[in-house]
Amino acid sequence: MTKAQPAGGSVQHPGAGPGNPGAGASLDDLQAKAAAVHEALPWIKRLSGRTVVVKYGGAAMGTAGFDAFVDDVVLLRYVGVDVIVVHGGGPEVSQLMTRFGKEPVFVDGHRVTDAETMDLARMVLVGRVNKTLVGRINTHGRLAVGLSGEDGLLLVARPRVDPGGRDLGYVGDVEAVDPTALRALTDKGLVPVVATVAAGPAGQPYNVNADAAAGSLAAALGAEKLVYLTDVEGLYADLADPGSLLEQLTVAEVEALLDEGRVAAGMVPKLTGIVTALRGGVRRAHILDGRREHALLLELFTDSGVGTMVQAEEER
Ligand code: ADP
Ligand code: MG
């Protein structure tokens, strides 16, 4: 059997790939696509066999970027990256609370969590958001396994003490991480999907911030990268000024921003998570726009990064 000879110029290519995506494309178009795939080669070589922790925020869930995010995670797995997905789900927890007649209350960004709220949060995060992600990833085959911080004592929390003396209930800070369960999964080529409910001091569920948990997990795993996907392009020097996106920072600069109190709300736990991770040996961290389709691929596998990148000092 002879292989069809490539024809020159703008001859139409009739029979490209699965689902025929190249049909009707000129050879020049196809060449450009091949070049884009080729650009990924050095980045794939660098990341294959390494660990990448990706936190997908509740704020980006349900946006146009979600399906592309799922596909990107699957692609990462197929090129040999040990990818671990950590997810939030704050907006869905608030919705369920409202349905049960409970008003969400926050103190410095932490949800005040009484026993009933903890129960609802666990139902939503572990039972719903986690399983939705697992189900979506597994449309590509047997890949994802969902677990929460309570499983295998992945995340152990100590009660958070509010500096203002207010009772936060079952809100904790990550005290210890045991990545054994995650490694057991990644060693088998599976993708762990983590809901960040932690085990409390007496084994009861505790509510820990997903951003902080992702930072602690990345450090404990010796991850190559930690990536936050959220609903802004990255970290802004001034949230009100779209021209003030900070593209590149060192971990010391991030610590200074936190000390100066110049960052607000949802960015604070991301930046503290980044400090935990980078001070714990992770090489790089990124904050990307999870609403944008394929933000993860754009950052990891192209020469031009997107969003905000934080790196350890000595690299500059
Ligand atoms: P996620 O679900 O991804 O954790 P959050 O709402 O908790 O999302 O955090 C992202 C939010 O952080 C942004 O929507 C933005 O309003 C807020 N934010 C506060 N300060 C900044 C800043 N300096 N740069 C970017 N975003 C900021
Ligand atoms: Mg958040």
Side-chain angles (χ1 to χ4, degrees):
M1 198 185 276
T2 54
K3 217 174 164 193
Q5 292 299 307
S10 60
V11 174
Q12 303 296 298
H13 192 289
N20 211 21
S26 74
L27 275 179
D28 286 345
D29 292 341
L30 294 173
Q31 192 78 50
K33 284 183 186 168
V37 176
H38 179 253
E39 188 179 324
L41 177 59
W43 305 107
I44 290 173
K45 277 166 74 179
R46 191 176 292 185
L47 284 179
S48 190
R50 302 296 179 98
T51 299
V52 174
V53 174
V54 185
K55 188 262 176 172
Y56 200 80
M61 254 161 218
T63 66
F66 182 72
D67 284 347
F69 162 72
V70 167
D71 287 359
D72 291 356
V73 165
V74 172
L75 192 146
L76 279 175
R77 182 61 268 174
Y78 272 105
V79 297
V81 177
D82 287 339
V83 55
I84 285 142
V85 177
V86 177
H87 64 82
E92 290 206 42
V93 173
S94 293
Q95 272 173 28
L96 190 69
M97 286 181 72
T98 309
R99 268 170 58 188
F100 276 75
K102 293 181 73 75
E103 195 194 333
V105 177
F106 292 89
V107 169
D108 293 338
H110 297 278
R111 184 188 305 274
V112 176
T113 307
D114 60 12
E116 201 182 11
T117 300
M118 188 64 249
D119 228 29
L120 293 174
R122 198 196 210 182
M123 279 189 235
V124 171
L125 296 175
V126 183
R128 187 153 194 271
V129 179
N130 188 272
K131 292 314 166 222
T132 300
L133 259 163
V134 167
R136 281 288 297 111
I137 294 171
N138 285 345
T139 60
H140 292 271
R142 186 219 60 203
L143 289 166
V145 175
L147 67 176
S148 89
E150 294 173 275
D151 295 301
L153 290 184
L154 180 57
L155 297 166
V156 174
R158 62 170 175 276
R160 165 167 271 263
V161 181
D162 176 55
R166 292 158 294 195
D167 182 12
L168 302 177
Y170 296 97
V171 174
D173 290 311
V174 178
E175 164 129 292
V177 178
D178 186 335
T180 308
L182 298 183
R183 276 294 169 228
L185 295 170
T186 57
D187 285 351
K188 297 281 184 203
L190 296 164
V191 179
V193 178
V194 181
T196 57
V197 176
Q204 73 277 59
Y206 254 73
N207 177 13
V208 294
N209 183 281
D211 295 336
S216 299
L217 285 171
L221 287 158
E224 181 77 9
K225 276 177 191 279
L226 166 65
V227 184
Y228 290 102
L229 288 158
T230 184
D231 68 346
V232 280
E233 270 191 68
L235 176 67
Y236 292 99
D238 172 6
L239 185 55
D241 174 8
S244 72
L245 182 72
L246 298 165
E247 292 182 356
Q248 216 172 315
L249 293 147
T250 65
V251 65
E253 286 167 339
V254 169
E255 285 167 330
L257 280 175
L258 284 168
D259 284 346
E260 291 159 18
R262 278 179 45 206
V263 193
M267 275 299 141
V268 174
K270 288 179 201 4
L271 296 186
T272 49
I274 285 174
V275 170
T276 303
L278 268 62
R279 292 295 180 206
V282 176
R283 272 166 43 86
R284 287 184 180 183
H286 302 267
I287 301 171
L288 311 178
D289 191 347
R291 301 166 306 177
R292 180 186 288 276
E293 286 185 74
H294 302 299
L296 193 55
L297 283 195
L298 272 174
E299 172 48 54
L300 297 184
F301 292 152
T302 68
D303 298 342
S304 48
V306 288
T308 296
M309 176 173 81
V310 185
Q311 56 191 345
E313 211 87 35
E314 49 275 20
E315 275 199 51
R316 267 223 170 148

